[in-house]
Amino acid sequence: MREYLMPIFVLAVLALSGCNKSKSPEDVSKDVANAEQKANNEVTKSEERAQSALDKSYEKVNDQEIKFDNDAAHQAYNVAVAKADGNRKVALATCESQSGDAQKACKDQAEADYKTARADARANAEVAVQQK
């Protein structure tokens, strides 16, 4: 058994001694240049992937910002219409204290104010949406 182990041991020592052998300066220079090129390629690819991912994220954020702005304009419109409706109801109730032509003029004014307030709310909402 020993007679087989000794040649195997000698071969292993010879094989391993060749692993730590230094390379020529030309070979080292080529290896360094190749390693630098591979590293630069990996960095470039990584930067391109990162930029692509950021572009996609920006598109999503931009879409969400537009949606938010449109929702905000719509909700501001709803609030303005609710205020106009409330003011109209109060004005119409106040008109009840009058009679005849004065009451009719009061109600007409309340309706005109209501229509103006709704038109202003719509115009403000349209401007808000267009600005985005």
Side-chain angles (χ1 to χ4, degrees), residues 27-104:
D27 288 343
V28 170
S29 178
K30 287 179 187 176
D31 290 348
V32 168
N34 287 337
E36 287 175 345
Q37 183 63 38
K38 286 181 183 178
N40 287 337
N41 288 342
E42 288 178 19
V43 168
T44 299
K45 287 178 184 176
S46 179
E47 288 172 342
E48 289 170 355
R49 285 191 301 267
Q51 187 61 51
S52 176
L54 289 174
D55 289 344
K56 288 179 184 176
S57 293
Y58 177 76
E59 289 173 12
K60 289 179 185 176
V61 168
N62 196 30
D63 290 345
Q64 289 300 317
E65 183 179 6
I66 290 169
K67 183 182 181 312
F68 175 80
D69 291 342
N70 288 342
D71 287 347
H74 181 71
Q75 295 308 321
Y77 169 79
N78 287 344
V79 169
V81 168
K83 285 181 181 179
D85 190 44
N87 290 342
R88 176 176 157 245
K89 289 177 182 176
V90 170
L92 290 174
T94 304
C95 291
E96 295 297 321
S97 67
Q98 300 174 7
S99 61
D101 289 338
Q103 186 182 49
K104 182 174 178 350

